[in-house]
Amino acid sequence: MMGYRDIILNDGYTIIPEFLDRADLKKVVDLERNTSPWKGLHKEFGWQNEKIFDKQEYVHYWSVQVKKQTQWLQEKLHPIVSDIMQTNYKWFLVDFHTTNPGSDYILAHIDTPYQFRPWNHITELIAVQCLIAVDDFTHESGATRLIAGSHREQTLVEDIGSKELDDKLLAEGSDFVAPAGSVVIYHPRTIHSTMPNMSNKPRSALLLCAVRPDLIDSLVHYQPQYEE
């Protein structure tokens, strides 16, 4: 039987349905409700960086950091993440990403740290991303789509945001469809994106990024929202 590290290295991601029980899911939902947006695409004013509006005014947005408030969840994820990272990791960014109804947002990309030039060429596993479904993830609500095995390919910084990469994701990807409380854990080099939200409710995810500790001092220059 393969361990989590082997699965991530081989397939690029793995899904654990209903990772959180009802009580734990309620804590995450309550935290999301009480956490303000930090940046995102405003319905009227376009992209807004570090300017807070009401949640409903965004097409999609990322929240302020909630690393300190989710230590209990980090501990729950520790056995899995420790296996994947061979105990050599530190939590980096922890925030919510919400897609509001009517969003047609698709941006095929890879994640931290590989999305930045100093680490773009590295194939070694130096980080892992955990995505908790705060709401039910369905095709209608904009479930995250991923391409299995794409972590073994070279996705250049210049490719991110291109129609070619979006088309590749649409053609080859599979949606993470699962009930609230489920988690998808993936290699950050895996090509993925939020999909359009065609439902009448917001769809939120809690993202927890773990990286090799020696990278953090350099990474904060690219993502200064990091908090100890």
Side-chain angles (χ1 to χ4, degrees), residues 4 11 34 39 65 70 78 82 84 92 94 99-100 105 108-109 121 128 134 138 143 166 178 182 188 202 211 219 225:
Y4 284 107
D11 300 332
N34 291 291
K39 65 177 181 178
Q65 292 297 299
T70 54
H78 172 72
S82 181
I84 294 170
F92 183 53
V94 183
T99 303
N100 276 319
Y105 175 80
H109 64 286
H121 65 287
V128 68
V134 179
T138 67
D166 287 350
S182 301
V211 303
L219 270 174
Q225 68 270 39

Side-chain angles (χ1 to χ4, degrees), residues 52-223:
I52 295 174
F53 294 89
D54 291 335
K55 292 181 177 182
Q56 63 269 21
E57 294 186 41
Y58 288 90
V59 174
H60 60 268
Y61 63 85
W62 287 261
S63 78
V64 297
Q65 292 297 299
V66 290
K67 188 164 66 171
K68 293 177 182 176
Q69 300 96 313
T70 54
Q71 288 181 352
W72 64 274
L73 181 52
Q74 296 158 33
E75 292 171 2
K76 189 176 181 72
L77 286 163
H78 172 72
I80 300 171
V81 175
S82 181
D83 178 46
I84 294 170
M85 296 295 293
Q86 297 182 324
T87 73
N88 186 29
Y89 79 93
K90 189 172 183 179
W91 292 107
F92 183 53
L93 301 182
V94 183
D95 54 13
F96 292 99
H97 181 206
T98 299
T99 303
N100 276 319
S103 169
D104 60 359
Y105 175 80
I106 299 176
L107 182 70
H109 64 286
I110 56 177
D111 273 351
T112 300
Y114 303 96
Q115 62 179 320
F116 303 118
R117 293 189 189 282
W119 304 278
N120 185 235
H121 65 287
I122 295 176
T123 57
E124 181 185 358
L125 182 60
I126 55 177
V128 68
Q129 186 86 298
C130 304
L131 184 157
I132 303 284
V134 179
D135 304 294
D136 291 339
F137 269 45
T138 67
H139 297 296
E140 185 183 26
S141 68
T144 296
R145 179 169 290 195
L146 310 96
I147 303 179
S150 59
H151 63 296
R152 296 191 294 270
E153 304 172 5
Q154 177 63 58
T155 302
L156 300 175
V157 175
E158 294 81 5
D159 296 334
I160 297 172
S162 68
K163 183 179 184 301
E164 290 76 14
L165 199 62
D166 287 350
D167 288 346
K168 179 180 176 67
L169 178 64
L170 291 172
E172 302 177 19
S174 298
D175 290 347
F176 165 51
V177 173
S182 301
V183 59
V184 56
I185 301 171
Y186 59 94
H187 194 305
R189 283 174 58 92
T190 300
I191 298 170
H192 66 284
S193 176
T194 298
M195 300 303 288
N197 185 351
M198 298 173 288
S199 74
N200 59 4
K201 297 179 180 179
R203 186 242 66 180
S204 291
L206 176 60
L207 298 168
L208 303 96
C209 176
V211 303
R212 210 171 62 191
D214 61 291
L215 305 181
I216 289 178
D217 286 346
S218 298
L219 270 174
V220 293
H221 295 290
Y222 294 86
Q223 297 185 300

